[in-house]
Amino acid sequence: TFVIQANPGPTNNGGSANWAEFFDLIAVSRNISVTQMSTGSTAAASASFSVEVFTRQGTALGGPVGSGSGSSSVGWTSLGIVPVTQGPTSNGISLVFTIPTILVPAFDTVGVAIKFIGVGPRYFGTGSPPYSTYADTNLTLITGDGRSAPFTPSGSWFASRALTGEIRYVIGPVTEIGNNGS
């Protein structure tokens, strides 16, 4: 399992229940399966809550709520609701939780929205873009969007609210060996 840390700094702001954090996952030359993550929340220490995981092909970031991808559920697919346990600190980072597998094909981008149920997300920053980017040789994670009442035109739009926590993934197996000659 490989791990990409999201924003390494502590969370300094908190949102409301039903807010979603939006981010992009961009694969390099191999298929990537994202299987687990942790993230900041407003929950009390050791509390239980849930998140709903949505995906869409292409970027999830950018644009005001009237025209951006967070303004409508069209094009988004819900992968399901999963349980989360807060870490030992109130208003901190959750324990690692398993999400429905998100497949990111090689050289492709998958937008992800994590909708918080029962608690709000905690995030870093409230400034303007550029968004925060975290990467290794296999996968790039771009964070920076949070919206209230996601997928409704009346939802508020916020820029550069960076995801905190981490993304865990595995690399797809080699699918073909070519003969380059002797």
Side-chain angles (χ1 to χ4, degrees), residues 147-168:
R147 301 176 195 264
S148 67
F151 312 136
T152 66
S154 61
S156 301
W157 180 71
F158 304 94
S160 277
R161 299 199 170 191
L163 179 74
T164 58
E166 62 187 39
I167 297 288
R168 298 187 177 203

Side-chain angles (χ1 to χ4, degrees), residues 80-104:
I81 297 173
V82 296
V84 182
T85 300
Q86 176 65 314
T89 304
S90 182
N91 289 318
I93 302 294
S94 74
L95 301 181
V96 173
F97 58 94
T98 300
I99 61 176
T101 300
I102 299 171
L103 175 65
V104 187

Side-chain angles (χ1 to χ4, degrees), residues 19-73:
W19 279 28
E21 289 280 356
F22 290 72
F23 54 91
D24 291 341
L25 298 169
I26 306 169
V28 186
S29 58
R30 300 278 291 275
N31 293 343
I32 302 295
S33 295
V34 180
T35 59
Q36 294 180 311
M37 68 179 294
S38 65
T39 186
S41 84
T42 60
S46 303
S48 297
F49 61 98
S50 300
V51 297
E52 187 169 7
V53 181
F54 296 86
T55 60
R56 64 180 288 146
Q57 289 302 116
T59 181
L61 298 177
V65 75
S67 60
S69 56
S71 62
S72 170
S73 60

